[in-house]
Amino acid sequence: MGILTQEMKDFVNKQRMGFVATVSPDNSPNLSPKGTTAVYTDEHLIFTGIRSEHTLSNLEKNPLVDINVVNPIKRKGYRFKGTATILSEGKEFESILN
């Protein structure tokens, strides 16, 4: 059984907007909204790197990431912490695109 419950997966896939927190080179926080946040597996979320130069650069130097997905009307959400992997080519990258 994965880390993400069905309730979490349904919530993320419905909301789609995730706020991705990374650490900048000067150790300051960087927060960036990602409207492409989705569930990839029972243990992984994904988002695209569209217009995300700072986010991707930060993750290359420090892969620790915090993603918050929130429904502002219901004032409910989830916080996900983990280590990011940047995919830009290969089988896994291609499978995500399909």
Side-chain angles (χ1 to χ4, degrees):
M1 182 174 183
I3 296 169
L4 301 175
T5 66
Q6 189 61 49
E7 180 180 329
M8 291 174 177
K9 292 189 275 188
D10 292 344
F11 187 88
V12 169
N13 285 329
K14 182 177 181 181
Q15 293 302 312
R16 303 290 293 180
M17 177 66 74
F19 295 89
V20 177
T22 60
V23 179
S24 297
D26 66 358
N27 289 324
S28 63
N30 180 66
L31 184 65
S32 182
K34 307 294 180 205
T36 57
T37 306
V39 174
Y40 178 48
T41 69
D42 287 345
E43 299 179 356
H44 297 94
L45 300 181
I46 58 172
F47 62 87
T48 60
I50 301 169
R51 301 184 63 95
S52 299
E53 299 85 21
H54 294 292
T55 300
L56 295 176
S57 175
N58 291 343
L59 291 173
E60 286 172 352
K61 294 173 182 70
N62 181 346
L64 297 180
V65 66
D66 199 88
I67 301 174
N68 290 269
V69 181
V70 179
N71 178 325
I73 307 270
K74 293 184 177 181
R75 297 178 53 96
K76 178 181 178 172
Y78 292 98
R79 178 181 182 193
F80 305 97
K81 298 176 87 165
T83 304
T85 301
I86 298 172
L87 300 174
S88 58
E89 61 185 2
K91 281 178 102 173
E92 191 170 11
F93 177 76
E94 295 296 327
S95 74
I96 291 170
L97 295 178
N98 296 324

